[in-house]
């Protein structure tokens, strides 16, 4: 699943992302694209036990690949 959060003002990107994460099954992935690094989201992902990787894109945005690990 992919969510493009570019052009949205905080906290919309984080709210959309967290809502989508609630629907993920174990070992499923969600990719999001944000205009900036989601620093507050990283903290939330770490607390919830998600694995995440960030890739800087050529247009200056960031793709974050989030994997739901075992519950």
């Amino acid at each position: 699943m992919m969510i493009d959060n570019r052009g949205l003002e905080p906290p919309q990107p984080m709210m959309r992302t967290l809502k989508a994460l609630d629907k993920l099954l174990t070992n499923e992935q969600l990719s999001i694209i944000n205009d900036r690094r989601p620093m507050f989201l990283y903290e939330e992902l770490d607390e919830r036990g998600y694995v995440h990787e960030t890739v800087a894109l050529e247009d200056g945005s960031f793709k974050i690949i989030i994997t739901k690990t075992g519950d």
Side-chain angles (χ1 to χ4, degrees):
M1 181 186 329
M2 169 75 78
I3 297 177
D4 188 341
N5 288 322
R6 289 176 287 192
L8 299 175
E9 291 297 319
Q12 285 183 317
M14 185 164 171
M15 309 248 321
R16 290 178 75 198
T17 300
L18 293 176
K19 184 174 180 180
L21 288 174
D22 287 340
K23 299 176 184 174
L24 283 186
L25 300 175
T26 300
N27 297 321
E28 283 189 326
Q29 288 187 331
L30 170 67
S31 295
I32 63 170
I33 300 177
N34 284 13
D35 291 319
R36 57 190 75 78
R37 287 186 186 269
M39 303 312 289
F40 295 112
L41 177 62
Y42 292 145
E43 295 173 17
E44 189 70 28
L45 294 175
D46 291 341
E47 285 181 19
R48 294 182 182 205
Y50 289 96
V51 175
H52 52 90
E53 175 186 357
T54 301
V55 178
L57 302 179
E58 289 182 14
D59 66 358
S61 62
F62 296 89
K63 179 178 181 179
I64 300 90
I65 303 158
I66 306 163
T67 304
K68 182 175 184 176
T69 58
D71 291 339

